[in-house]
Amino acid sequence: PRVRALKPSKTMALTDRARELREAGEDVIGLAAGEPDFDTPAAIVEAGVEALRTGLTRYTANAGTAELRRAIVGKLREENGLEYAEGEVVVSNGAKQSVAQGVQAVCGPGDDVLIPTP
């Protein structure tokens, strides 16, 4: 089976190593996983709690909620001078998933694909 060919993620291995060094008392700045080195801001925590209280606990549309995609389109227009339609924005749970699905969508058996690694 294909599962036997799977190898651990180098990104996660680096993240785990940085965590181990931190736990051993080393001063380490981990840049591998893209995880912030600060706590979630209070306003975001409260928004999450409020979302749970009001029942926003179900799966969303595959591309993300329309409200969130509209907010992203507005942010890109106002702060970055970029114009996108709501239908051109997809919200995912992380870059790895998005990249993997994008590659699978456009590449097929026998295609040559270059994949950079850390």
Side-chain angles (χ1 to χ4, degrees):
R2 290 178 11 173
V3 71
R4 290 194 179 124
L6 292 177
K7 294 185 169 105
S9 160
K10 290 181 183 181
T11 304
M12 293 314 299
L14 288 170
T15 300
D16 290 345
R17 181 67 178 136
R19 185 175 293 114
E20 290 167 3
L21 289 169
R22 244 185 258 104
E23 289 171 357
E26 298 289 332
D27 186 18
V28 175
I29 298 173
L31 301 175
E35 185 176 39
D37 63 351
F38 53 86
D39 290 340
T40 302
I44 295 173
V45 171
E46 290 306 316
V49 169
E50 184 60 23
L52 293 170
R53 284 190 181 124
T54 59
L56 295 176
T57 59
R58 306 282 186 235
Y59 287 116
T60 64
N62 287 330
T65 65
E67 179 184 15
L68 177 56
R69 290 184 292 132
R70 277 192 300 274
I72 292 169
V73 166
K75 183 270 185 209
L76 291 172
R77 182 179 49 253
E78 293 166 20
E79 295 181 23
N80 305 97
L82 301 170
E83 288 294 330
Y84 289 95
E86 185 181 318
E88 295 177 294
V89 174
V90 175
V91 179
S92 76
N93 64 351
K96 284 183 184 181
Q97 175 193 359
S98 293
V99 170
Q101 289 177 323
V103 169
Q104 290 174 350
V106 299
C107 298
D111 289 349
D112 291 325
V113 178
L114 299 177
I115 302 175
T117 61

